[in-house]
Amino acid sequence: MRKMADHFAVFVLGLLAVFAVSLFTLYSYSNIRKQHVIVTVATLIAWYSSFIIVFILPLDISATKYKQCQKDHNCSLENSNNIHETDPHHGFLANMTTVSSPSSCPCVEPWSWVPQTVLSVFWKIVYWGAQVLTWLVLPIMNSYASAGEFTVIGKLKSAIIANLIYYATYVVIFCICLIYLATQPYVTIDLENLKVIGITASNTWGLFLLVLLYGYGLVDIPRSIWQSSHTLYMLQQTYFKVAKVTMEYSEAQEKYDDTLEDVRRSVEVIKYNHPFRKYVDTILSKCPEDFRRSLRRNDDYVDYNEQDCSIPTEKSLIKMHINVMTTMRNYTRTQSQKETLLHKAIQLEDDIANQNSSNRYYKRSTGEYNGYLKFLYSPRLGK
């Protein structure tokens, strides 16, 4: 019993460690304080389900190998020496049996051993949870956040329409598998087979995407590692990227200013007593805080009974809402990329400048290093 408790302690500690890694990754690459709680929870569960496979797979392999060893040596029956231990009158049968005792079993129980039933239930939770997140929750949430409609029903409808192509690829693969099985004479199409076809279509879609990503990663990652050893080449490449991103940033900033100007005109036209004012307020909430402060507050009452062509329609406000979110993302993305590349260029310039340092002391042009691994870095250069 104590040994079983030790095994489960290792299993639970592993789950907690993976959860800590997922939480740290989420904290590093997102703004938990500003983003919605549902987005944070869904992303954490998705990353946790992915990272947990790396931890659970070795446990499953070791448990399977241990079980196969027991089966090969016929010692899977615990507490069973021979039959003569319980019935001395069956000595002949006891001599004929091949069941080994636990003491003579050569199989060594792994320190990370977990019962197969626990792993089976756990794999089902991870697999079906990942399926729901992959095909329903995450795509709908992504499109829902990018939708320009102002109502929940409108956002959901727009999100489903935006994912039709995504779902259409799955339906095509499902139909191909269904047609193939329908042509087989000894296969009946029932609910269980439809479930298998659905799983097969999902795995096929995922494997196809994985092959595409591997095809790029297996070439680009070793090449980038090899090129990173050539500091001068990396600096020239970074200069080129800085020039390219600077142009993209200028275009994004110009479109950013034009979009905010359109929002300003809409705010001046649509007053507080107009039915569309709540839509304008929603758009304003996506704009920068300094822009909202710069708007001149005007609460004058306006009679909108007469037809006014200058008043934006609901469709135009939806389009403006989408344009604001897209422009803000592009502006923030290019600004962040520009800052990152400039920091990298300065770092590479410092590396080249310190290669021939006479006092073997690394000098930074932008101050001291303040990263997570600061305690591992020393300004003293090796010989």
Side-chain angles (χ1 to χ4, degrees):
M1 184 64 67
R2 184 177 179 181
K3 193 173 183 181
M4 180 68 69
D6 294 338
H7 290 320
F8 276 103
V10 173
F11 182 72
V12 173
L13 287 177
L15 296 181
L16 294 177
V18 175
F19 181 80
V21 171
S22 304
L23 189 62
F24 176 77
T25 305
L26 181 62
Y27 178 80
S28 301
Y29 289 96
S30 65
N31 193 339
I32 298 179
R33 296 180 179 180
K34 291 185 178 181
Q35 64 194 20
H36 200 280
V37 177
I38 298 178
V39 176
T40 302
V41 173
T43 307
L44 180 62
I45 294 175
W47 287 2
Y48 184 67
S49 300
S50 302
F51 292 156
I52 201 67
I53 297 176
V54 181
F55 168 72
I56 294 298
L57 191 59
L59 302 183
D60 196 3
I61 293 175
S62 62
T64 303
K65 186 176 180 181
Y66 175 65
K67 187 177 180 180
Q68 184 64 36
C69 178
Q70 288 182 320
K71 183 178 179 181
D72 293 340
H73 294 85
N74 201 16
C75 55
S76 58
L77 298 177
E78 298 180 357
N79 300 325
S80 59
N81 277 334
N82 287 328
I83 300 178
H84 69 272
E85 290 187 354
T86 56
D87 189 356
H89 298 288
H90 292 77
F92 176 77
L93 295 177
N95 294 330
M96 295 296 293
T97 185
T98 58
V99 178
S100 303
S101 64
S103 59
S104 63
C105 183
C107 303
V108 180
E109 185 177 283
W111 62 270
S112 59
W113 182 81
V114 179
Q116 203 71 22
T117 54
V118 176
L119 291 177
S120 178
V121 173
F122 193 83
W123 276 123
K124 290 179 180 179
I125 295 174
V126 172
Y127 179 80
W128 290 111
Q131 289 287 336
V132 173
L133 288 172
T134 301
W135 292 103
L136 294 177
V137 178
L138 295 181
I140 297 298
M141 286 182 60
N142 185 24
S143 301
Y144 183 91
S146 303
E149 283 73 7
F150 301 100
T151 61
V152 175
I153 301 299
K155 285 179 174 291
L156 287 176
K157 187 183 297 183
S158 177
I160 294 174
I161 294 175
N163 285 279
L164 284 180
I165 298 177
Y166 178 68
Y167 293 133
T169 57
Y170 175 82
V171 173
V172 169
I173 299 175
F174 181 86
C175 292
I176 292 175
C177 296
L178 182 62
I179 293 173
Y180 173 78
L181 289 181
T183 57
Q184 303 301 314
Y186 301 105
V187 177
T188 58
I189 306 299
D190 52 11
L191 184 60
E192 187 65 25
N193 285 335
L194 289 176
K195 177 182 175 182
V196 174
I197 294 173
I199 295 174
T200 303
S202 176
N203 293 339
T204 303
W205 192 95
L207 289 174
F208 179 74
L209 180 62
L210 193 63
V211 167
L212 293 180
L213 296 177
Y214 271 163
Y216 175 79
L218 291 176
V219 175
D220 188 72
I221 292 178
R223 181 175 58 188
S224 61
I225 295 175
W226 173 264
Q227 292 175 350
S228 64
S229 61
H230 304 284
T231 309
L232 183 59
Y233 173 81
M234 291 298 297
L235 181 60
Q236 294 174 350
Q237 189 182 52
T238 304
Y239 284 156
F240 175 78
K241 291 181 179 180
V242 168
K244 180 181 178 182
V245 172
T246 302
M247 294 180 59
E248 294 178 357
Y249 175 71
S250 300
E251 295 176 358
Q253 189 174 23
E254 183 178 355
K255 191 173 182 180
Y256 169 82
D257 296 334
D258 294 340
T259 302
L260 293 183
E261 187 61 30
D262 293 338
V263 175
R264 185 188 300 273
R265 286 195 293 265
S266 299
V267 172
E268 293 176 353
V269 172
I270 301 178
K271 305 300 180 180
Y272 74 96
N273 60 318
H274 195 278
F276 291 165
R277 180 64 190 189
K278 56 183 179 180
Y279 300 156
V280 175
D281 292 338
T282 302
I283 296 175
L284 282 175
S285 64
K286 306 297 176 60
C287 298
E289 186 176 356
D290 55 350
F291 171 75
R292 297 198 299 267
R293 292 178 179 177
S294 65
L295 295 176
R296 183 174 60 88
R297 185 175 180 85
N298 188 354
D299 293 336
D300 295 339
Y301 181 85
V302 178
D303 188 7
Y304 292 103
N305 292 331
E306 297 180 0
Q307 186 70 21
D308 191 354
C309 297
S310 63
I311 302 296
T313 62
E314 184 176 356
K315 289 185 178 180
S316 62
L317 289 177
I318 291 175
K319 186 177 180 181
M320 181 185 297
H321 191 196
I322 297 174
N323 195 20
V324 167
M325 291 187 292
T326 304
T327 303
M328 289 295 299
R329 281 197 299 266
N330 292 335
Y331 177 75
T332 306
R333 175 182 57 82
T334 53
Q335 185 181 33
S336 178
Q337 287 178 341
K338 181 182 177 181
E339 294 175 356
T340 302
L341 288 173
L342 287 175
H343 179 76
K344 183 179 180 180
I346 295 173
Q347 178 68 39
L348 291 172
E349 290 175 351
D350 291 342
D351 292 343
I352 295 176
N354 287 277
Q355 282 180 355
N356 299 320
S357 178
S358 58
N359 58 0
R360 311 301 298 172
Y361 192 86
Y362 192 93
K363 295 181 179 179
R364 296 180 179 272
S365 58
T366 57
E368 297 181 355
Y369 175 77
N370 294 317
Y372 291 111
L373 303 178
K374 180 180 179 180
F375 63 95
L376 295 178
Y377 284 80
S378 173
R380 180 66 62 179
L381 299 176
K383 296 182 179 180

